[in-house]
Amino acid sequence: MFQVIGIVLLFGLVFGSYLMAGGNMAPIIHSAPHELMAILGAAVAAFLIGNSMTVVKATLAGFGKVFAGSKWKPADYRDLLSLLFLLTKTMKSKGVIALESHIENPHDSTIFSRFPKINKDHFAVDFICDTLRMMTMNLEDPHQVEDAMEKQLEKHHHEAMAPANAIQNMADALPALGIVAAVLGVIKTMGAITEPPEVLGEMIGGALVGTFLGVFIAYGLVGPMATRLKEIIEDDSAFYKIIQSVLVAHLHGNAAQISVEIGRGSVPSTAQPSFLELEEALSAIPNEA
């Protein structure tokens, strides 16, 4: 919602101030179509040249995230802590044998199926199950497990950040591509140097529209979108860090309640449940779970 408001303000204030200063929109409107074709066309072509198909697809989805916001909401953090509570409590009270059926077939697990949104996130499920599987294979050194989890998180974060970096690279290139379009306009103007001043002035003005559009789109639209997407990716990555916090705390010998409380401390402030809210969520889990 705020992104839409920002875009409306961007166009309204920039072009509104231009009109209030006595500017004429006719040269911009006349030149914009072919200038945008050169600038955006070159930007898209460079984007396709510089990125794999995987990144291209992820970037298209990333533009949607800019407006949709973070994937994980406050209720999802409560669900994650509840899921980790059930898993660590089962492992603590019934042993690793009782946990094997849940981590080998998580989509059929009675524990995971209680939290469908988390169960649909392949990385979250695999991250939890792979770590618990290491524990069942007697890898119980908290430092080794934490190091292995950290490497998985770094790899996932690096891959998740690729679309935002691709958009930022596009933003960085747009001002230069605007200059390219402007230079082409100047070349066209120099080829008509014998025309009267009013014609040359219109042609030079059209050429400068290219520079304006390149800078305007880069710093007003594409750059902020890249920044927003990076922020969303950082927010989403905090969700997976909680998994690490809880499972490492469990390996240190803490009770399930203490482990999830340690994980609660890692939840971003805007989504962090209070101690009582988490207590109520855990109390609401049926005993048979």
Side-chain angles (χ1 to χ4, degrees), residues 5 38 95 145 240 243 255:
I5 294 173
V145 173
Y240 307 116
I243 299 172

Side-chain angles (χ1 to χ4, degrees), residues 134-146:
M134 283 193 295
M135 295 180 188
T136 63
M137 294 187 297
N138 295 322
L139 180 58
E140 297 180 350
D141 182 347
H143 301 292
Q144 280 187 292
V145 173
E146 186 174 14

Side-chain angles (χ1 to χ4, degrees), residues 156-272:
H156 180 266
H157 186 70
H158 175 75
E159 293 171 350
M161 197 62 76
N165 291 333
I167 296 174
Q168 184 60 59
N169 289 338
M170 183 185 293
D172 293 340
L174 280 167
L177 294 175
I179 293 173
V180 170
V183 169
L184 290 175
V186 171
I187 293 172
K188 176 185 174 184
T189 303
M190 296 304 292
I193 196 67
T194 57
E195 296 292 332
E198 58 270 18
V199 175
L200 292 176
E202 182 179 346
M203 295 176 72
I204 293 172
L208 292 175
V209 169
T211 302
F212 160 72
L213 289 175
V215 175
F216 176 72
I217 295 171
Y219 295 110
L221 286 173
V222 182
M225 286 184 178
T227 301
R228 174 60 179 155
L229 183 56
K230 289 179 182 178
E231 179 183 309
I232 291 170
I233 293 169
E234 292 288 351
D235 287 345
D236 286 346
S237 69
F239 189 83
Y240 307 116
K241 291 287 288 185
I242 294 165
I243 299 172
Q244 181 189 32
S245 299
V246 172
L247 295 184
V248 171
H250 169 76
L251 272 179
H252 279 287
N254 293 296
Q257 187 82 33
I258 300 299
S259 297
V260 297
E261 179 58 27
I262 292 173
R264 186 183 74 85
S266 301
V267 177
S269 299
T270 55
Q272 186 180 51

